[in-house]
Amino acid sequence: MNDNVGEVAIICHDGYEQQESCVSYSCWLSCPQVSTQQWRGSGAPQYRHQYPHNFQTSNQNFSINYNIDLSLHFITTFNMMLNKQNSTRSVSSTSDESSLSDSMSVCSSSNSHSTNYEELVIAPHVGYKKVLVTGGAGFVGSSVAEALLARGDDVVIVDEMNDYYDVRMKENNLNRLRTLYPDEKRLAVYRGDICDERLMDDLFERERPQWICHMAARAGVRPSIQDPYVYIHSNIVGTTLLMELAHKYGAQNFVFASSSSVYGGSKSTFFSEEENVDNPVSPYAATKKACELLAYTYHHLYKLNVSGLRFFTVYGPRGRPDMAPFKFVDRISRGVEIQKFGDGTSSRDYTFISDIVDGVIRSIDRPYSYQVFNLGKGNGTSLNEFISIVEKHTERKAVIRQLPDQPGDVPYTCASVEKARILLGYEAEVSFDEGIRRTVDWYSKSRSDVVSDEVPTETPEVQASGLSRSPSWAQIVSRSAIISN
């Protein structure tokens, strides 16, 4: 091999072994037996690796770039060896952490990063807790509150009950919790803005929670572009006040909801906590990134134990009506048109609510000094497969309106959950197919209480982003609380 040549080896499950030499400035690696397009359509998790690096050879500077679309269905081993005259440089999962995170974007649920996470593991706190759950009337917050109460903890909920989506859904969540846990000593509910200093100081003084689960936030990417100020208020100001009070009252652990949206400017398809996320593409994402920075500051200044959780597309029973899983189940069930953007090959990491709740509670129980965790399923589902699965479980054919790709959409997203697996013991258990089945079952049972002629099919929806859409069934229900599991 000469001084300017890189050698790449791939070994596939099917026994294919391919080596290619790449000269000078760029090389595109492919396995001739199975094309990139064939891999992409195989139905297995998709992995696009981009690795730029510069190398100094004995006679010139040059760079080798490769962009490889791979499927774990085929690949068991991937090694790249760059050899040069009189010196050798190898790249592996044990490379220096900073140079690796700056130059490499390689994420999957089974990928090991340079940090030796095993050395950081701490034992979980065992025993009674009084937990403050902000946003406790919302989808994730109420689900976490229920799980905490079920295991014997006491819960203090604070929620401003904003109208980002139908407030009746939040009222139903609170009513359901109160029905299950009528004792106000076990479940206390405060209605108000987490940015209200007097309210929150009085709450901390009265309740003295030592464990903080901060799920309250103004959600939504597109609405944050229309009105960024409310996102700064709720997300940044509110989180700062809570951390100040957590420090003041000596909280043992502060866990808060960040978002996978912080990866919006990333060039990689599969997201790792080790990546640089300094380029948010929406005010919402920017506020979540700001909260992560503020959280580190409070840890640094006051030794506050903080964990930020980057959620990946949470769905399930009683889910948010502005999210695709709820909308598709709702509209396909009712024979209402859905919008399909692009050719359907785009993929997302959808995470069932019970898996998210498990990750949140594991984080509460483990007071790490400062950590950020991805909470996702660890593999993606294409839009075409998504629609097909909903059709299967609703036993209805989707009425599809085909539209072009939306500007700014990322074609593939997937959480690397290796860090959460090691440090939290987190492992998503519910497949997307099973999660949709459970969601459809809940939806069908709940909707059976609604008289069919109360459900219009053509009027605009006033919800979330404010776009003209078919109304969600959740907005129409007005005469009974949803308390089904």
Side-chain angles (χ1 to χ4, degrees):
M1 175 178 293
N2 70 45
D3 168 84
N4 290 340
V5 175
E7 183 176 87
V8 183
I10 288 185
I11 302 174
C12 302
H13 270 301
D14 295 329
Y16 301 137
E17 180 171 350
Q18 177 70 17
Q19 291 192 354
E20 296 212 0
S21 295
C22 41
V23 181
S24 285
Y25 302 101
S26 65
C27 66
W28 291 84
L29 178 66
S30 64
C31 188
Q33 291 85 350
V34 183
S35 70
T36 297
Q37 289 74 18
Q38 288 173 311
W39 284 340
R40 185 174 292 168
S42 68
Q46 308 301 317
Y47 290 83
R48 173 174 295 169
H49 300 249
Q50 294 180 323
Y51 184 93
H53 205 93
N54 294 323
F55 297 87
Q56 175 71 49
T57 69
S58 59
N59 57 17
Q60 64 173 316
N61 286 319
F62 73 104
S63 69
I64 292 180
N65 300 308
Y66 63 83
N67 187 323
I68 312 165
D69 282 61
L70 302 175
S71 168
L72 286 185
H73 179 69
F74 294 104
I75 306 303
T76 55
T77 303
F78 172 74
N79 291 298
M80 180 170 183
M81 298 160 287
L82 293 161
N83 302 298
K84 61 182 180 178
Q85 191 174 10
N86 301 323
S87 66
T88 302
R89 180 169 187 172
S90 65
V91 180
S92 72
S93 62
T94 57
S95 299
D96 176 75
E97 180 180 63
S98 61
S99 64
L100 183 64
S101 62
D102 288 342
S103 63
M104 190 173 187
S105 298
V106 179
C107 306
S108 75
S109 59
S110 61
N111 181 55
S112 296
H113 296 285
S114 57
T115 303
N116 189 355
Y117 294 130
E118 287 82 356
E119 296 178 356
L120 305 176
V121 174
I122 64 173
H125 175 275
V126 178
Y128 166 81
K129 298 178 181 67
K130 175 181 273 193
V131 185
L132 171 63
V133 180
T134 70
F139 175 37
V140 176
S142 64
S143 300
V144 171
E146 181 180 352
L148 291 168
L149 288 161
R151 75 174 189 175
D153 293 331
D154 292 344
V155 171
V156 179
I157 286 175
V158 59
D159 200 303
E160 70 170 345
M161 308 295 286
N162 69 56
D163 61 355
Y164 174 74
Y165 58 86
D166 197 330
V167 175
R168 288 171 293 184
M169 296 190 72
K170 300 177 183 181
E171 293 287 357
N172 290 339
N173 290 336
L174 290 180
N175 291 340
R176 182 175 186 278
L177 288 173
R178 182 56 72 197
T179 299
L180 293 171
Y181 302 96
D183 186 353
E184 293 190 2
K185 292 182 179 179
R186 293 214 55 211
L187 172 62
V189 178
Y190 293 77
R191 294 171 183 254
D193 187 353
I194 59 171
C195 297
D196 185 333
E197 294 185 37
R198 176 174 293 182
L199 168 68
M200 296 308 298
D201 194 60
D202 287 347
L203 184 154
F204 269 82
E205 181 66 34
R206 183 180 301 110
E207 302 290 349
R208 299 284 174 151
Q210 290 294 291
W211 307 84
I212 315 302
C213 178
H214 177 33
M215 299 289 105
R218 196 74 180 192
V221 171
R222 292 182 188 175
S224 75
I225 298 172
Q226 300 166 1
D227 185 7
Y229 302 105
V230 69
Y231 286 78
I232 293 170
H233 172 81
S234 295
N235 297 358
I236 298 178
V237 176
T239 301
T240 304
L241 176 59
L242 282 167
M243 287 191 291
E244 186 67 24
L245 290 169
H247 150 61
K248 176 181 176 181
Y249 286 91
Q252 295 188 48
N253 197 15
F254 188 100
V255 173
F256 72 99
S258 185
S259 171
S260 59
S261 295
V262 300
Y263 293 109
S266 173
K267 300 300 183 184
S268 65
T269 302
F270 295 83
F271 302 146
S272 160
E273 299 93 336
E274 307 301 326
E275 290 188 47
N276 185 308
V277 290
D278 291 341
N279 300 289
V281 296
S282 70
Y284 170 72
T287 62
K288 288 299 188 178
K289 171 63 176 178
C291 289
E292 292 182 1
L293 293 173
L294 285 165
Y296 179 80
T297 300
Y298 271 82
H299 161 67
H300 173 74
L301 292 176
Y302 308 116
K303 306 307 177 186
L304 180 66
N305 296 322
V306 186
S307 290
L309 308 179
R310 295 173 178 172
F311 297 154
F312 280 72
T313 317
V314 190
Y315 74 100
R318 298 185 299 278
R320 275 172 44 191
D322 60 307
M323 301 293 285
F326 190 108
K327 288 193 295 185
F328 279 19
V329 168
D330 174 38
R331 296 176 189 185
I332 292 175
S333 295
R334 295 192 287 121
V336 177
E337 177 186 276
I338 65 171
Q339 296 176 337
K340 176 184 172 183
F341 295 93
D343 63 5
T345 60
S346 61
S347 177
R348 295 288 182 273
D349 191 339
Y350 297 99
T351 317
F352 194 69
I353 181 61
S354 61
D355 288 327
I356 290 293
V357 169
D358 177 65
V360 172
I361 291 181
R362 287 176 180 275
S363 299
I364 294 170
D365 289 345
R366 292 162 174 79
Y368 283 103
S369 56
Y370 176 81
Q371 292 292 346
V372 173
F373 297 103
N374 287 338
L375 293 186
K377 188 165 80 280
N379 56 69
T381 302
S382 73
L383 179 56
N384 286 332
E385 185 182 4
F386 181 178
I387 295 171
S388 177
I389 289 172
V390 175
E391 288 177 325
K392 178 178 74 173
H393 291 297
T394 59
E395 298 181 343
R396 298 288 298 272
K397 187 69 176 176
V399 180
I400 300 174
R401 181 184 178 189
Q402 185 68 52
L403 295 169
D405 287 320
Q406 294 188 97
D409 267 5
V410 179
Y412 306 99
T413 65
C414 181
S416 171
V417 293
E418 182 73 358
K419 182 178 180 181
R421 184 185 67 79
I422 295 173
L423 296 186
L424 301 178
Y426 169 81
E427 195 80 49
E429 296 181 350
V430 181
S431 69
F432 188 65
D433 185 275
E434 172 62 16
I436 290 296
R437 186 195 66 78
R438 296 183 191 182
T439 304
V440 170
D441 285 351
W442 164 82
Y443 175 90
S444 300
K445 182 179 179 181
S446 299
R447 186 171 174 248
S448 65
D449 293 333
V450 181
V451 179
S452 60
D453 60 11
E454 293 179 357
V455 184
T457 59
E458 297 294 337
T459 56
E461 179 180 7
V462 183
Q463 165 187 307
S465 68
L467 299 178
S468 178
R469 303 180 299 202
S470 169
S472 165
W473 158 79
Q475 291 188 280
I476 299 162
V477 178
S478 60
R479 59 188 178 85
S480 63
I482 302 170
I483 61 173
S484 58
N485 288 315

